[in-house]
């Protein structure tokens, strides 16, 4: 019988976790069992996931930022169907296809001052291209990056990752240099050494939602250019309207030399990355015909990614998602500030547009780590359940227990401080539950503004202490999001 995907999905239904345990990253299913996120989703729409029983879940993770236009947007689906039906001559490699040019034209219209685009397949590839372009164009080797930065996990991007837990064990990496986020003096000191190619920076750091200090990007650009170095803005998280501007750097009067985007440009379907840069940089890197492929990737510019990207950009414009992110984000921050004022569990709300971080107190002496790295004194909240966390009998719900048996040992508590106020006897379910609105009521399921417990617990996948609320920026819709340290 000919291959039939629908048949495969039906006959192997429910085997996802077992297959992952056997054939994929073994820690993924283990982690999801441990934190009670071991659901099987059947379908998705907009900001919601649905399980086989029809329960609806507000998706606070948003594929780590992929679903800027929401899941399964009909305009993107239609574009992809049209692309497939067109029987295009895709990936010829030695041709100049129409779609990459059109997508570049449309992206660059949003980025005055930038002239050309390189298309790859992911955020980290966009960053790798930026690093190579900056080094080649300046003839220098050192990249300055920021404490806490995240730019992807391939080796070049890992060299500019500001978190030890990602780097550890992968040395030697590139000899790049970390400075404190937003520290102009530190940048100046590095630039004086004369070997810096570029500063790579997120206008708002995805991990922790730390916003660059006002004026920093413009001042840094001036300083960098005085020293013959470049400003690279990584907009993989912040780009395409999430912060209330099309690019996060556009909150300031600054002109970066290179900009990276990915994630939401996929329309939620086709992996893509794009590196936008000034003409002179492209002219240097691709300086002659024998250098035509000096930086390239086989699947970059593929028709599916280009079609999805064009559709996503259309949706962003047609539905005014950038303006909506600004308006909705402002209202949400006000609402969240009320929660911060009310609950001692929460200490700060920060961000721009719909890229919002809500900082939670770890609930232990010493308090939460602030954006500046200092320690904020947090009033101790009354603790109904003092004492160290330990596994409870209630944790031994069938999937987790089976899993643990298979691995021969208890699952360690991986996310200290994120127990969501659990009491003895409660299952280690840190808060994933069907949307309260699923019974059909009209009330929006804005769990993030009604339950601080859910806010704190939805941060558990990657760490604790913060949750980024990344709402699909459509009027009247609610939650998608992601978490970070
Ligand atoms: N840059 C930033 C700012 C990111 O947040 C990420 C991913 O989260 C990346 C780059 C890497 O993107 P990808 O996971 O598509 O490689």
């Amino acid at each position: 019988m000919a291959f039939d995907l629908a048949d495969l999905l039906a006959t192997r239904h429910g085997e996802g976790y077992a297959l992952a345990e056997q054939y994929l990253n073994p820690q993924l299913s283990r982690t999801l069992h441990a934190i009670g996120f071991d659901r099987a989703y059947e379908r998705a729409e907009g900001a919601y996931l649905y399980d086989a029983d029809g329960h609806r879940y507000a998706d606070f993770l948003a594929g780590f930022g992929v679903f800027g236009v929401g899941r399964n947007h009909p305009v993107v689906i239609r574009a992809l169907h049209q692309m497939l039906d067109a029987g295009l001559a895709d990936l010829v490699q030695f041709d100049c296809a129409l779609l990459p040019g059109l997508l570049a034209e449309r992206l660059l219209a949003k980025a005055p001052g930038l002239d050309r685009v390189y298309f790859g397949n992911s955020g980290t590839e966009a960053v790798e291209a930026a690093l190579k372009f900056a080094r080649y164009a300046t003839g220098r080797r050192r990249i300055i990056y920021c404490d806490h930065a995240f730019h992807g996990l391939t080796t070049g991007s890992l060299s500019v990752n500001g978190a030890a837990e990602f780097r550890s064990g992968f040395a030697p990496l590139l000899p790049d240099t970390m400075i404190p986020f937003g520290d102009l003096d530190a940048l100046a000191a590095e630039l004086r050494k004369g070997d810096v190619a570029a500063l790579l920076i997120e206008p708002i750091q995805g991990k922790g939602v730390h916003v660059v200090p006002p004026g920093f990007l413009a001042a840094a650009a001036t300083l960098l250019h005085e020293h013959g170095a470049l400003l690279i803005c990584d907009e993989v998280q912040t780009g395409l309207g999430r912060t209330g501007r099309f690019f996060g750097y556009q909150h300031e009067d600054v002109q970066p030399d290179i900009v990276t985007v990915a994630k939401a440009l996929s329309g939620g379907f086709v992996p893509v990355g794009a590196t936008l840069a000034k003409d002179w940089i492209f002219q240097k890197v691709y300086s002659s015909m024998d250098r035509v492929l000096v930086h390239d990737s086989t699947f970059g510019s593929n028709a599916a990614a280009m079609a999805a990207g064009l559709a996503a950009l259309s949706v962003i414009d047609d539905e005014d998602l950038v303006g909506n992110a600004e308006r909705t984000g402002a209202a949400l921050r006000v609402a969240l500030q009320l929660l911060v004022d009310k609950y001692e569990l929460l200490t700060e709300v920060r961000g721009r547009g719909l890229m919002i971080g809500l900082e939670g107190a770890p609930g232990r002496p010493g308090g939460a780590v602030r954006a500046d790295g200092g320690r904020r004194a947090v009033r101790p909240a009354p603790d109904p359940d003092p004492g160290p966390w330990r596994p409870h009998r209630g944790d031994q719900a069938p999937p987790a227990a089976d899993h643990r048996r298979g691995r021969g040992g208890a699952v360690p508590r991986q996310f200290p401080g994120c127990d969501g106020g659990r009491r003895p006897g409660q299952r280690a379910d840190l808060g994933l539950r069907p949307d309260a609105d699923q019974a059909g009521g009209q009330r929006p399921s804005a769990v993030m503004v009604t339950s601080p417990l859910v806010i704190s617990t939805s941060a558990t996948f990657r760490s604790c202490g913060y949750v980024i609320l990344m709402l699909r920026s459509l009027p009247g819709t609610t939650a998608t999001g992601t978490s970070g340290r």
Side-chain angles (χ1 to χ4, degrees), residues 44 136 156 158 163 178 180 269 339 350 378 389 446 467 477:
Y136 195 84
L158 193 60
M178 186 169 81
F269 284 96
L339 290 183
R350 56 176 177 263
V378 178
W389 181 92
V467 61
T477 63

Side-chain angles (χ1 to χ4, degrees), residues 64 121-125 127 150-153 202 204 206 234-238 260 262-263 272 462:
F64 294 145
N121 307 289
S122 65
T124 198
E125 279 188 48
V127 170
F150 188 91
H151 300 288
L153 295 177
E202 301 152 88
I204 302 178
D234 183 347
E235 298 270 358
V236 168
Q237 281 278 0
T238 49
T260 56
K263 293 194 190 276
V272 67
R462 281 164 79 159

Side-chain angles (χ1 to χ4, degrees), residues 19 81 137 202 209 246 306 331-332 336 347 362 375 382 385 406 437:
L19 288 167
H81 277 299
E202 301 152 88
V209 192
F246 192 84
M306 301 298 101
L332 181 57
L336 290 173
T347 57
R375 289 213 159 252
D385 177 23
D437 188 34

Side-chain angles (χ1 to χ4, degrees), residues 337-348 359-368 375-383:
Q337 186 57 51
L338 295 177
L339 290 183
V340 171
D341 295 343
K342 186 171 175 186
Y343 294 103
E344 290 174 348
L345 179 70
L346 305 174
T347 57
E348 187 183 12
E359 186 169 329
R364 57 178 56 160
R375 289 213 159 252
R376 160 192 294 264
V378 178
R379 274 173 295 153
D383 185 354

Side-chain angles (χ1 to χ4, degrees), residues 17 20-21 25-39 64 399-400 403-404 407 411-415 427-430 432 459-463:
Y17 284 84
E21 201 164 311
N25 172 352
Q27 297 302 339
L28 180 60
S29 59
R30 186 172 189 233
T31 303
L32 295 175
H33 287 317
I35 65 175
F37 273 49
D38 47 359
R39 301 291 197 276
F64 294 145
H403 167 79
R404 286 171 192 161
R407 289 280 165 242
V411 178
R413 185 187 182 206
Q414 306 212 10
F415 307 101
R427 184 170 181 258
D429 178 342
L430 297 186
L432 188 68
T460 55
F461 187 81
R462 281 164 79 159
S463 69

Side-chain angles (χ1 to χ4, degrees), residues 116-120 125-126 129 133 273-276 282 286 295-297 300:
R116 294 181 182 273
V117 184
Y118 166 79
F119 287 114
E125 279 188 48
F133 286 9
T275 307
L276 289 62
F282 268 75
Y286 299 102
H295 187 76
D296 197 29
S297 173

Side-chain angles (χ1 to χ4, degrees), residues 176-408:
D176 297 326
T177 304
M178 186 169 81
I179 61 169
F181 187 57
D183 188 333
L184 212 53
D185 292 339
L187 176 64
E190 294 303 327
L191 285 170
R192 281 195 289 273
K193 296 175 187 166
D195 63 343
V196 172
L199 167 70
L200 170 64
I201 187 167
E202 301 152 88
I204 302 178
Q205 291 189 325
K207 283 181 70 197
V209 192
H210 302 300
V211 183
V212 74
F216 175 82
L217 290 179
T222 305
L223 208 53
L224 285 156
H225 294 156
E226 282 170 7
H227 288 80
L230 307 181
L231 174 65
I232 308 172
C233 287
D234 183 347
E235 298 270 358
V236 168
Q237 281 278 0
T238 49
L240 278 72
R242 185 174 171 193
T243 72
R245 299 284 185 279
F246 192 84
F247 291 113
Y249 71 80
Q250 291 170 343
H251 287 275
E252 273 189 46
D253 184 14
V254 62
Q255 177 60 67
D257 304 286
I258 304 179
V259 169
T260 56
V261 290
K263 293 194 190 276
L265 187 61
S266 69
F269 284 96
V270 191
V272 67
T275 307
L276 289 62
K278 292 183 172 172
D279 179 61
W280 74 266
I281 296 173
F282 268 75
Q283 298 296 351
K284 271 207 151 178
V285 174
Y286 299 102
S287 56
S288 59
M289 282 195 271
D290 60 352
R291 288 179 62 82
V292 62
L293 294 176
V294 74
H295 187 76
D296 197 29
S297 173
T298 302
F299 289 104
S301 300
N302 72 81
M306 301 298 101
L310 282 162
L313 293 185
S314 287
V315 170
I316 289 167
D317 278 352
D318 295 347
E319 301 183 12
D320 186 25
L321 297 189
V322 183
N324 188 64
E326 187 171 29
R327 289 187 296 274
T328 315
L332 181 57
R333 281 198 304 282
V334 170
L336 290 173
Q337 186 57 51
L338 295 177
L339 290 183
V340 171
D341 295 343
K342 186 171 175 186
Y343 294 103
E344 290 174 348
L345 179 70
L346 305 174
T347 57
E348 187 183 12
V349 57
R350 56 176 177 263
R352 281 183 168 141
L354 283 168
M355 187 160 177
I356 298 172
L358 186 60
E359 186 169 329
R364 57 178 56 160
V369 178
R370 281 199 320 237
D372 61 7
R375 289 213 159 252
R376 160 192 294 264
V378 178
R379 274 173 295 153
D383 185 354
D385 177 23
W389 181 92
R390 57 198 160 279
H392 306 302
R393 285 197 172 281
D395 287 346
Q396 307 301 313
D402 290 346
H403 167 79
R404 286 171 192 161
R405 268 194 297 277
R407 289 280 165 242

